Amino acid sequence: MTTATEQAPDLYPTRTATPVATPRRDPVVWSPPGTSGPISANDLAGYDRDGFLTVDQLLSDEEVARYRRELERLVGDPEVRADDRSVVEPTSRQIRSIFEVHRLSEVFAELVTDPRVLGRARQILGSDVYVHQSRVNIKPGFGASGFYWHSDFETWHAEDGLPRMRTVSVSFALTENFTTNGSLMIMPGSHRTFVGCAGQTPADHYRDSLRRQELGTPAPEDLRTLTDQHGIRLLTGRAGAATVFDCNCMHGSGDNITPHPRSNVFLVFNSVENAPGEPFAAPGRRPGFVAARDFTPVG
Amino acid sequence: MTTATEQAPDLYPTRTATPVATPRRDPVVWSPPGTSGPISANDLAGYDRDGFLTVDQLLSDEEVARYRRELERLVGDPEVRADDRSVVEPTSRQIRSIFEVHRLSEVFAELVTDPRVLGRARQILGSDVYVHQSRVNIKPGFGASGFYWHSDFETWHAEDGLPRMRTVSVSFALTENFTTNGSLMIMPGSHRTFVGCAGQTPADHYRDSLRRQELGTPAPEDLRTLTDQHGIRLLTGRAGAATVFDCNCMHGSGDNITPHPRSNVFLVFNSVENAPGEPFAAPGRRPGFVAARDFTPVG
């Protein structure tokens, strides 16, 4: 088991003058074949191939309604708005994200230990897991901006020190995802290549990057190559659906000019055997509400 | 026949302190039933109902290739770039639109008199027609911004003085329109309501509005009402497809972060019986390359 004190070798160089692409050096599914869990063998093979899988109705309508009420409560709470963990949209001044939501809210905390969720995370990562990051994202429509293309692992490796690709995200849709309201786009199969990014990470970069990411996004020619190889999948579906995706999927989303708001809960599980040391390409650690330093296993 | 010198009454008030919605006071299809033309009776009924129709392969692959070459030539021409008729994207400094392209280019001029195009415009408008505006639009991808919701007629009425809704646009796709690259969104049936917009038009407003429209866009609550009533249709399809749409359709497009560029040619035909007088809600006329003052019938 890797501990936080010894620094692992840098298998995935990034934030360099001339970025390079590195083939993935880690498994996608870490549990041995045949390990039991909520994901079927067929779905797990699809996850291994594409880097993601979707669960059409992970949450019931009642659960969705409950989580939406809780989200509204948080967004309307002046204390939450004033909290460092809330990220406010630069133009509209509306709350765009609230981090560490599983600690801020007992209601959202339940999702972390839910066997439908935790079971999938353990099955993919082949070990006990802890929450590296959690948040709710809100795109209110009428022009809310999207997220440019990125691999989450690129940032978590560079700025948080996650050594290996042994991390999985679960995004729960609290609203319907249409083709028109800035839904998630993923390049299936892109998780097999680590695309290094140009640039040097300034101190406290997270303050800007959570609002609008520029550093840590691939060059146009790399995006063109990935698109030619893998295509782009737009993930639509009803509220209550979940997307489970590998930390190194190239993904992004467009803006949302429709009146259909989009909101989701986002949980990131990391293997306890993949605890981060120091950042690989940043002058200092990000705060704990963005990148946890408490590696206590969930459940 | 209305001439340009007598001012028509203002049937569609807009740019007021408190915006109002006005039911459409004009036909959608102006030709008498049974008038011959390239549009089938069925498609014409769909146009009347939805405010638009699509023609899957109006242009052949060879024609698309020829128009794309011509577009590249124009974009690469320093004289064209320096021309007032070229609109440059604020952030990327790339050309976003070139106006009056049917006068700038003999190649694009052919589209105006093409019987497949002109025949459809005449059939809908029930008269001879002239070109009120023409342009090419280029969305190079990698973050090119979209166009917020608007009715073209709102601007053409307020800023150009078009008295009636007797104007039709034809958009020719020169690239494939995917669900992911900022394709056109239309609210089908929205052409039956004129949504007035708040605000007062400043002088030379067109210089800003061609880059990023803010004035002349509906209030969020009006967009919500329209969306609830009509829904939103995302228009995808191969290069060579054309969309024929009424001047009062509520439409817009999201940004394009994909590497798939989008470009189209856009021709606006107005009935010669609907020639504009003075603007209804602007201090002065827009230049002729944005809003023609030569009403010579085409063909």
Side-chain angles (χ1 to χ4, degrees), chain A residues 19-37:
Chain A
V20 288
T22 307
R24 184 185 186 107
R25 295 167 188 271
D26 292 304
V28 178
V29 175
W30 287 72
S31 63
T35 303
S36 70

Side-chain angles (χ1 to χ4, degrees), chain A residues 228-298:
Chain A
D228 289 348
Q229 285 172 346
H230 303 296
I232 297 170
R233 196 92 56 85
L234 179 64
L235 300 186
T236 56
R238 288 179 49 188
T243 305
V244 179
F245 61 106
D246 180 81
C247 55
N248 191 44
C249 281
M250 190 57 65
H251 65 287
S253 60
D255 60 3
N256 177 14
I257 69 168
T258 79
H260 301 299
R262 274 187 76 234
S263 54
N264 55 62
V265 192
F266 187 74
L267 298 179
V268 181
F269 295 96
N270 188 30
S271 168
V272 293
E273 298 175 19
N274 191 40
E278 294 308 311
F280 285 97
R285 296 178 174 190
R286 300 199 294 175
F289 65 82
V290 180
R293 291 283 162 179
D294 174 353
F295 313 132
T296 313
V298 173

Side-chain angles (χ1 to χ4, degrees), chain B residues 103-268:
Chain B
R103 293 200 193 272
L104 263 171
S105 155
E106 285 179 17
V107 176
F108 286 119
E110 291 170 19
L111 272 178
V112 172
T113 51
D114 189 309
R116 296 169 295 182
V117 180
L118 184 57
R120 284 178 165 87
R122 284 178 174 154
Q123 192 179 358
I124 288 169
L125 302 181
S127 70
D128 275 340
V129 301
Y130 72 94
V131 175
H132 174 66
Q133 184 185 94
S134 78
R135 63 176 194 259
V136 287
N137 292 316
I138 304 124
K139 264 194 199 179
F142 302 114
S145 47
F147 289 93
Y148 196 68
W149 297 108
H150 64 284
S151 146
D152 291 327
F153 181 77
E154 196 278 339
T155 291
W156 299 339
H157 183 72
E159 302 190 24
D160 300 337
L162 288 204
R164 314 293 295 246
M165 294 182 182
R166 196 172 180 178
T167 315
V168 64
S169 299
V170 187
S171 174
F172 306 82
L174 298 186
T175 49
E176 185 163 348
N177 284 308
F178 298 95
T179 54
T180 52
N181 64 339
S183 298
L184 182 67
M185 296 188 275
I186 294 188
M187 300 187 192
S190 60
H191 64 306
R192 299 263 175 210
T193 306
F194 179 78
V195 181
C197 300
Q200 205 172 5
T201 319
D204 285 340
H205 173 241
Y206 77 97
R207 290 183 198 275
D208 295 323
S209 71
L210 300 184
R211 286 176 176 79
R212 181 176 185 83
Q213 187 169 8
E214 290 182 2
L215 198 67
T217 59
E221 52 272 31
D222 288 330
L223 287 174
R224 203 185 299 277
T225 304
L226 285 174
T227 305
D228 289 347
Q229 285 173 346
H230 303 296
I232 297 171
R233 195 92 55 85
L234 179 64
L235 301 186
T236 56
R238 288 180 47 188
T243 304
V244 180
F245 61 106
D246 180 81
C247 56
N248 191 44
C249 282
M250 191 56 65
H251 65 287
S253 60
D255 60 2
N256 177 14
I257 68 168
T258 79
H260 302 299
R262 275 188 76 235
S263 53
N264 56 61
V265 192
F266 187 75
L267 298 179
V268 181

